[in-house]
Amino acid sequence: MRETIDRALRRQRVLVVVAVVAGVLWGVLGTLADRGATGAVVALAPILLWLGYWGHELFRSPSRTGLRVAPEQSTFFAPPRWPVTLPVVMTAWLPLQLVTYSARWGRDAFWWFLLVVTAVAVAIVVREQWLRLPLVEITPDGVGYGWPRRTVFVPWAAVDRDGPLWAAQGDTFLRLPLVRPDLVRRSRLARRRAEQRFRVRNVDVAPVFLAAAVRHYARHPEHRTGIGTREEYARLCRTLTGGD
C-alpha cells in the first residue's frame, strides 16, 4: 500500500507543479499579448481549461476494478485514479487569475482584495494537493477517506446497516446512511447529516463493488477482523458474486 500511495502522491505533486507553472506562464502571456489573435487565444484560456476538465469528466468511464489488499495495514483500499481532478484544474486556473490581477496593481482597493483572496486560495489548494490524496479504505474499525491524513472516518457503529447503501456504476458519490452521525470523525467542521458522502469518482474502484463491500461488512461484523487479509478478500469476492 505504501509504495502505491507514494507513487500516486509523487504523480499528483508533479501535476500540481506543472499546473501552477502553466497557469503563471499563461497569465504572463496574457498580460504581454496584444489584442489580436494571440490575445484572443490567451483570453479564452480559462474557458478552454474548464471545457477540457468537464469534457474529461463527461467521457471518462467509471472504474471497474475491485479493492486492493494491504495486509500490513489491515485494510482494503482504493487508490487514486488519473489525477485530472477539480483541485488540479484550480491550481492552473487560480495562478492565471493571480497574474492577471497583479498586472492591475494600483488601480483601486478592489483589485488588491482580489489579489489577496486569489493568493490565499492558491496556497490552500496547492497545500491540499501536495499533502493529501483521494483514497477510500475499509478497515476493521470503519470506512475512511483521504490519505495520509483522513478527511472523514465513519466507524461501523455509525453506519445504518439497514439503510439504503448502494451505488450505480457511474455514480460520483457513495452515500453511507448513518444511524449515529455524532460518531463520524471529520478533519473539518461540517454539519451532521443522516448520510456521509464519499467521492468515488477519483478513486480506482467500481462504485457498485465498493458499496456492496461496505454494505456486507456493515451487516456482518463477524467478518471484519479478517479485513486486510487475502483470504478474507477472496471470501468477500465469492460472497459478492454469489459464489459463497
Side-chain angles (χ1 to χ4, degrees), residues 149-167:
R149 187 177 59 181
R150 291 169 177 157
T151 305
V152 179
F153 185 77
V154 182
W156 293 117
V159 180
D160 183 359
R161 56 184 295 172
D162 299 318
L165 205 171
W166 60 275

Side-chain angles (χ1 to χ4, degrees), residues 16-30:
V16 166
V17 171
V18 171
V20 170
V21 172
V24 170
L25 291 178
W26 203 285
V28 171
L29 182 60

Side-chain angles (χ1 to χ4, degrees), residues 131-206:
L131 298 177
R132 180 178 293 160
L133 286 167
L135 180 142
V136 174
E137 57 176 339
I138 299 176
T139 75
D141 298 320
V143 186
Y145 187 88
W147 190 270
R149 187 177 59 181
R150 291 169 177 157
T151 305
V152 179
F153 185 77
V154 182
W156 293 117
V159 180
D160 183 359
R161 56 184 295 172
D162 299 318
L165 205 171
W166 60 275
Q169 185 59 20
D171 281 359
T172 300
F173 293 96
L174 172 66
R175 296 171 172 84
L176 271 64
L178 303 177
V179 68
R180 291 285 307 277
D182 56 298
L183 297 179
V184 177
R185 300 195 294 270
R186 302 178 178 89
S187 62
R188 303 180 182 88
L189 294 177
R191 188 174 63 180
R192 294 176 180 174
R193 300 178 181 272
E195 68 174 19
Q196 176 63 52
R197 293 186 175 187
F198 287 81
R199 185 176 179 85
V200 296
R201 185 75 171 176
N202 296 324
V203 295
D204 193 14
V205 64

Side-chain angles (χ1 to χ4, degrees), residues 26-33 35 39 42-43 46 93 95-116 118:
W26 203 285
V28 171
L29 182 60
T31 61
L32 299 177
R35 296 185 178 180
V42 173
W93 181 71
L96 190 157
Q97 300 302 307
L98 181 62
V99 174
T100 302
Y101 295 149
S102 66
R104 298 168 179 171
W105 282 3
R107 283 194 175 186
D108 52 41
F110 177 70
W111 289 112
W112 279 103
F113 172 76
L114 287 180
L115 181 66
V116 172
T118 305

Side-chain angles (χ1 to χ4, degrees), residues 1-167:
M1 178 177 178
R2 174 61 62 181
E3 184 178 350
T4 301
I5 297 308
D6 286 346
R7 286 199 304 266
L9 188 58
R10 285 195 296 270
R11 288 196 299 268
Q12 181 167 284
R13 288 175 174 176
V14 169
L15 189 61
V16 166
V17 171
V18 171
V20 170
V21 172
V24 170
L25 291 178
W26 203 285
V28 171
L29 182 60
T31 61
L32 299 177
D34 55 27
R35 296 185 178 180
T38 303
V41 172
V42 173
L44 287 174
I47 298 176
L48 296 175
L49 184 64
W50 287 107
L51 285 177
Y53 167 71
W54 290 115
H56 173 267
E57 284 292 292
L58 181 63
F59 293 106
R60 181 175 62 165
S61 60
S63 175
R64 297 183 179 277
T65 65
L67 294 163
R68 277 68 163 180
V69 181
E72 72 282 2
Q73 300 285 341
S74 297
T75 296
F76 297 148
F77 72 100
R81 294 186 73 194
W82 173 247
V84 181
T85 63
L86 182 59
V88 171
V89 173
M90 292 291 288
T91 59
W93 181 71
L94 287 172
L96 190 157
Q97 300 302 307
L98 181 62
V99 174
T100 302
Y101 295 149
S102 66
R104 298 168 179 171
W105 282 3
R107 283 194 175 186
D108 52 41
F110 177 70
W111 289 112
W112 279 103
F113 172 76
L114 287 180
L115 181 66
V116 172
V117 170
T118 305
V120 171
V122 169
I124 291 173
V125 174
V126 170
R127 180 181 182 277
E128 184 73 9
Q129 292 294 291
W130 195 264
L131 298 177
R132 180 178 293 160
L133 286 167
L135 180 142
V136 174
E137 57 176 339
I138 299 176
T139 75
D141 298 320
V143 186
Y145 187 88
W147 190 270
R149 187 177 59 181
R150 291 169 177 157
T151 305
V152 179
F153 185 77
V154 182
W156 293 117
V159 180
D160 183 359
R161 56 184 295 172
D162 299 318
L165 205 171
W166 60 275

